[in-house]
Amino acid sequence: MKEKTLFQLNGTSSQLVVEVGDFAEILHWGKKISGSLESFRQSLYRPIPHGRLDNDVAMTTLPELGRGVFSSPGLEGHRDGHHWAPVFFLKNVEKSGDILSLTSEDQRAGLSLLTEICLDEFDVVKTRHTLINTKSGKYFVNRFANSMPLPARTTELMTFHGRWAREFQTQRQPLLHNGYQQENRRGRTSHEHYPAMVCGTANFSEIQGEVWGFHFAWSGNHRLRADVKTDGRRMMQAEVIYFPGEISLEKGESISTPWLYASYSENGLNQMSHHFHDHVRESVLADDFKNKPRPVHLNTWEGIYFDHEPEYIMEMASQAAELGVERFIIDDGWFKGRNDDTAALGDWFLDELKYPNGLLPIVEHVNQLGMEFGLWFEPEMINKNSDLYRAHPDWLLAVDGYEQPTGRHQYVIDLQNDDAFNFLYERLDYFLSAYNIGYIKWDMNREIVQPAHDGVASGCKQTERYYQLVDKIRAKFPHVSIESCAGGGGRIDYEILKRTDRFWASDNNDALERQGIQRGMSYFFPPEVMGSHIGADKCHCTRRRHSIEFRGVTALFGHMGIELDPVKEDGEEKAHFARYVALHKQLRSLLHTGTMWRTPTDDPAHQVLSVVSEDQSQAVVMVTQSAMPTHSLSGNLRILGLDSNSTYRIYILDKPKNYNDIVVFQPPWSKEGCELSGEWCKEVGLSMPILDPETAILIKAEKIS
Ligand code: GLA
């Protein structure tokens, strides 16, 4: 038995205390405490109750069945049916700055394990394991999970659900006996099972309660679990779902889990989001794009769909430039034979029938107008009706002999096939080299069924090869911005964000739906990575109509764009687009660097979202009336995050056309503005104006003293 030592990792307000002896166990992860580590240890020795194993069973950093952990173990695997319950003993511990690295071994099983745990200044924990087969003969890995302990007082969960066009919906549930599990087998991060969850003390809210938030950085199949052991201890687990036989390690080979990101907040969900947003800004986003203002988009998809005519597209570009647009993107429909969604995926050659003079005149026109040019690709996909499939029917990601269901009439390309991988790289390389392209929208429009390479399951490897393809493009074209899109928000996670810069949050541009989707996304992502476009007045997804003011204010709070055909819009509507584009540019640096607050409201029919500048000198607040106000008076609007001791001028920046006509009198502050202390704004607030359902107002707070 090795002597036990305590290690401490410190964030700004949180702390991890890890006991290391024969194995490692996280004893405390929560509020940062001062005092002697040894006294902490004394206080935490557990009793041994009757009716259980005779010894204390630790929840090690990789829970092991062989030590007597009866809940979900961290590793399940075998070597021809042997060594199926390994027990690891620590061999080496290194602490360097914020990072604790633990090397353990099970000599009998011939396995070595590296566990890395980091806690940064933003209070974000990052952890992963790496398993190495050190003995001859294949070691099959069935499961390999990241685990983090939760205190017994975490009795409530917030998890995510969704669907295409309705991503990032949240649900609350008690965390009682047995716990909670979610599984994603759709082959991408998925709209349905966004890989994150929040565990907290009872009734945790945006501003109150302790919460432990988790994000699993992986763009494929996964399982998340909040486990309540029968002895009352709790833990969170996150893992890739491996298909049978998918992972086998030869001697010397290794496999790593994805990174699990986690953060503790003692002040509810807003503070948790601040930690994650700061971490994403500092450590996840690529340096090349960090300090560049994000250009306002015009994307052609909902404007023209597959109907491409170069002269017309150039006119769209000219009109986009007049609106203040800074990046013009040709979406789907530009490549050979792509006239609808049944054909041509894989044929990444310009459609010369549609573009007889090539792409160059359009790219040059766009650039001359002062805009960047962007292009849509869906590299991993193939239609059977394509030249590529006719030439390479064996490039499908499939199990021979089975007819796979299609998704949007398409199939997936096996990226482990080097010829296919190289072909896709060459095609992307060609376009990025031949034209002045500043951005690509990288789409992925179907789920993956039966992924296999040479008959062996390859869900995990397909995801890894996808990362490699993006990395290879990124390495050669570091200044090309990449958006991750998968039928809207089907591939949104931190691992893909390391190699992309923006997400298409949803195919749904309905402002009311977007309010919910964008709010859900804001728990783990800062606004600047969220593509958010003004769509047509009658939404293509929901067939619902919204005023330009509601659409404009909603789109402001992300990386803004326009998703329609400006040529078909009337002058008045266009004047509004130009106004919101200008407003976004004016507020962009505040929105994209500030601190976001989801503010509790007195009436659930309201949603309030604000962003406060880092120096607390200004804030912008969006107040949304999502449904009919519950009462005739809606209480007060509070503004969080301002400096308590400073005075701010508060005034309305944007409001619905009929703002003054729907009541006898709106609150006077909303007409004349008013001056209030940051403390008053937070504790008392301002009288809430009366709004029609599905409208919003925008408020500005500026520090005057
Ligand atoms: C997906 C995307 C859309 C658009 C289409 C093109 O659905 O989410 O924005 O690019 O594909 O086919």
Side-chain angles (χ1 to χ4, degrees):
M1 186 98 143
K2 250 201 201 149
E3 204 183 311
K4 293 184 171 176
T5 322
L6 291 181
F7 286 89
Q8 202 177 170
L9 294 174
N10 287 315
T12 301
S13 61
S14 68
Q15 182 179 52
L16 265 166
V17 178
V18 187
E19 185 182 63
V20 173
D22 280 338
F23 48 79
E25 183 180 9
I26 296 174
L27 295 182
H28 168 62
W29 169 38
K31 193 177 164 129
K32 190 165 164 185
I33 316 278
S34 50
S36 129
L37 281 181
E38 279 318 312
S39 59
F40 295 160
R41 184 58 197 112
Q42 283 300 329
S43 70
L44 292 177
Y45 286 119
R46 287 174 284 258
I48 299 182
H50 284 304
R52 291 168 42 109
L53 299 176
D54 290 333
N55 54 307
D56 176 62
V57 175
M59 293 288 292
T60 60
T61 43
L62 186 93
E64 295 145 306
L65 179 63
R67 284 192 192 278
V69 174
F70 295 119
S71 48
S72 169
L75 172 67
E76 287 183 297
H78 66 97
R79 196 188 295 281
D80 269 343
H82 296 259
H83 304 308
W84 52 274
V87 177
F88 289 91
F89 285 85
L90 256 160
K91 293 288 162 206
N92 191 38
V93 183
E94 269 173 46
K95 182 168 179 279
S96 132
D98 295 343
I99 307 171
L100 191 63
S101 306
L102 310 162
T103 309
S104 330
E105 262 176 31
D106 179 338
Q107 276 182 349
R108 270 166 204 266
L111 296 172
S112 168
L113 180 76
L114 172 67
T115 301
E116 295 158 277
I117 310 171
C118 332
L119 173 59
D120 71 8
E121 62 188 293
F122 308 114
D123 291 301
V124 171
V125 176
K126 256 174 78 180
T127 180
R128 73 170 175 191
H129 299 290
T130 300
L131 183 75
I132 307 162
N133 178 12
T134 57
K135 209 162 144 173
S136 55
K138 276 187 182 166
Y139 193 82
F140 282 90
V141 181
N142 298 353
R143 289 189 46 243
F144 192 25
N146 294 295
S147 311
M148 289 291 287
L150 292 168
R153 62 184 182 277
T154 47
T155 54
E156 216 174 303
L157 286 181
M158 184 176 95
T159 59
F160 293 85
H161 66 100
R163 49 161 286 203
W164 171 76
R166 195 153 190 268
E167 297 82 346
F168 293 105
Q169 305 299 308
T170 56
Q171 61 181 342
R172 295 288 287 259
Q173 57 211 301
L175 180 60
L176 296 174
H177 301 285
N178 298 323
Y180 165 89
Q181 179 172 295
Q182 86 177 35
E183 286 196 349
N184 170 42
R185 294 172 187 271
R186 293 173 184 266
R188 56 185 178 187
T189 320
S190 90
H191 304 78
E192 289 79 2
H193 310 286
Y194 167 63
M197 65 161 72
V198 183
C199 313
T201 49
N203 303 318
F204 67 83
S205 72
E206 293 291 352
I207 48 173
Q208 273 164 345
E210 289 180 283
V211 297
W212 289 259
F214 300 92
H215 176 96
F216 190 50
W218 178 245
S219 314
N221 297 330
H222 70 260
R223 182 179 295 117
L224 295 189
R225 193 196 304 265
D227 224 9
V228 181
K229 282 169 57 61
T230 48
D231 62 18
R233 281 183 291 176
R234 284 136 204 263
M235 69 165 176
M236 188 277 173
Q237 228 175 29
E239 64 198 271
V240 176
I241 294 180
Y242 304 132
F243 290 124
E246 178 167 3
I247 306 294
S248 65
L249 306 176
E250 296 287 358
K251 184 177 179 185
E253 286 184 342
S254 65
I255 184 161
S256 295
T257 65
W259 288 103
L260 174 65
Y261 291 77
S263 190
Y264 164 77
S265 148
E266 59 176 318
N267 296 309
L269 292 159
N270 275 306
Q271 192 189 64
M272 176 202 82
S273 296
H274 299 160
H275 297 165
F276 283 118
H277 291 187
D278 288 347
H279 178 87
V280 165
R281 285 174 172 164
E282 187 60 31
S283 308
V284 176
L285 291 176
D287 286 339
D288 275 323
F289 299 96
K290 266 188 199 155
N291 302 318
K292 251 178 79 182
R294 290 173 174 262
V296 175
H297 283 199
L298 188 130
N299 190 52
T300 58
W301 179 239
E302 291 196 0
I304 55 172
Y305 291 105
F306 297 104
D307 196 6
H308 289 209
E309 205 279 300
E311 289 298 320
Y312 192 81
I313 288 179
M314 289 205 255
E315 179 55 21
M316 287 174 80
S318 302
Q319 297 209 10
E322 281 170 26
L323 302 177
V325 166
E326 296 159 309
R327 183 183 272 161
F328 183 84
I329 300 111
I330 297 190
D331 205 287
D332 196 357
W334 58 266
F335 48 97
K336 192 165 166 251
R338 184 69 167 171
N339 300 316
D340 56 38
D341 64 10
T342 63
L345 284 173
D347 294 345
W348 301 110
F349 298 87
L350 187 70
D351 190 329
E352 287 170 2
L353 290 177
K354 288 185 188 171
Y355 293 89
N357 301 324
L359 204 54
L360 200 60
I362 299 183
V363 180
E364 282 177 353
H365 177 70
V366 167
N367 289 162
Q368 275 156 15
L369 291 165
M371 297 186 290
E372 265 184 28
F373 180 78
L375 199 57
W376 180 93
F377 288 91
E378 196 179 356
E380 300 141 80
M381 296 293 158
I382 186 164
N383 287 117
K384 282 201 174 172
N385 185 4
S386 68
D387 292 344
L388 189 71
Y389 180 78
R390 283 181 280 275
H392 302 285
D394 55 323
W395 283 9
L396 289 199
L397 184 72
V399 180
D400 281 350
Y402 292 87
E403 187 50 45
Q404 255 194 59
T406 50
R408 212 189 183 204
H409 313 286
Q410 63 201 53
Y411 295 83
V412 186
I413 293 178
D414 176 5
L415 297 181
Q416 274 189 86
N417 178 319
D418 288 337
D419 294 336
F421 183 97
N422 293 336
F423 166 80
L424 295 174
Y425 174 75
E426 186 278 323
R427 287 291 77 209
L428 286 158
D429 181 17
Y430 167 78
F431 280 97
L432 294 178
S433 305
Y435 303 101
N436 186 20
I437 293 177
Y439 156 97
I440 57 177
K441 177 172 172 182
W442 189 307
D443 212 335
M444 197 270 199
N445 275 310
R446 68 153 292 174
E447 291 150 337
I448 300 183
V449 180
Q450 276 187 320
H453 177 70
D454 289 341
V456 177
S458 68
C460 176
K461 299 230 172 75
Q462 176 76 9
T463 305
E464 282 168 356
R465 286 295 272 172
Y466 155 65
Y467 290 150
Q468 284 164 20
L469 187 56
V470 185
D471 285 343
K472 203 168 166 180
I473 292 296
R474 190 74 162 193
K476 179 147 182 206
F477 303 98
H479 304 300
V480 174
S481 176
I482 303 178
E483 174 171 78
S484 169
C485 172
R491 196 151 60 182
I492 297 185
D493 61 80
Y494 287 177
E495 194 53 41
I496 191 55
L497 189 57
K498 287 176 191 163
R499 26 185 80 78
T500 54
D501 319 288
R502 184 190 205 255
F503 294 117
W504 184 221
S506 180
D507 277 347
N508 197 341
N509 290 319
D510 177 305
L512 183 64
E513 293 299 325
R514 272 287 181 145
Q515 287 282 340
I517 294 165
Q518 297 184 179
R519 193 179 179 87
M521 187 166 168
S522 79
Y523 285 102
F524 290 86
F525 295 94
E528 64 269 26
V529 303
M530 181 182 70
S532 172
H533 294 181
I534 300 179
D537 76 325
K538 183 174 173 189
C539 172
H540 292 201
C541 243
T542 60
R543 271 69 60 189
R544 186 160 43 193
R545 286 184 191 276
H546 283 127
S547 69
I548 177 58
E549 290 83 5
F550 190 36
R551 286 178 287 142
V553 170
T554 303
L556 275 181
F557 270 68
H559 176 178
M560 190 176 164
I562 299 178
E563 181 89 23
L564 44 74
D565 176 2
V567 181
K568 296 221 170 67
E569 298 289 335
D570 68 31
E572 195 189 331
E573 191 82 346
K574 276 199 281 209
H576 284 297
F577 299 153
R579 188 165 64 82
Y580 284 108
V581 169
L583 196 54
H584 181 72
K585 288 180 183 169
Q586 188 191 319
L587 296 172
R588 168 165 65 187
S589 88
L590 163 60
L591 288 165
H592 293 178
T593 60
T595 307
M596 179 174 260
W597 292 88
R598 292 170 302 266
T599 309
T601 55
D602 297 336
D603 181 355
H606 286 126
Q607 285 192 0
V608 175
L609 201 67
S610 59
V611 179
V612 181
S613 65
E614 241 184 317
D615 63 1
Q616 295 175 301
S617 65
Q618 47 168 336
V620 57
V621 185
M622 171 169 62
V623 179
T624 305
Q625 186 76 51
S626 43
M628 186 66 183
T630 308
H631 302 287
S632 34
L633 296 174
S634 297
N636 284 1
L637 158 68
R638 294 192 290 151
I639 304 176
L640 306 182
L642 301 176
D643 175 30
S644 293
N645 301 320
S646 299
T647 304
Y648 294 84
R649 183 171 152 65
I650 319 272
Y651 61 96
I652 291 212
L653 208 54
D654 201 68
K655 55 183 189 295
K657 272 192 215 67
N658 64 0
Y659 181 74
N660 289 312
D661 307 336
I662 57 172
V663 285
V664 178
F665 209 77
Q666 290 285 18
W669 72 262
S670 73
K671 195 169 174 204
E672 294 133 25
C674 63
E675 291 175 12
L676 293 172
S677 73
E679 189 176 22
W680 184 272
C681 289
K682 178 181 169 212
E683 303 297 341
V684 185
L686 306 96
S687 181
M688 183 67 96
I690 294 169
L691 297 170
D692 279 344
E694 299 174 29
T695 62
I697 53 173
L698 200 67
I699 295 165
K700 187 89 194 289
E702 278 165 3
K703 182 170 159 175
I704 46 177
S705 63

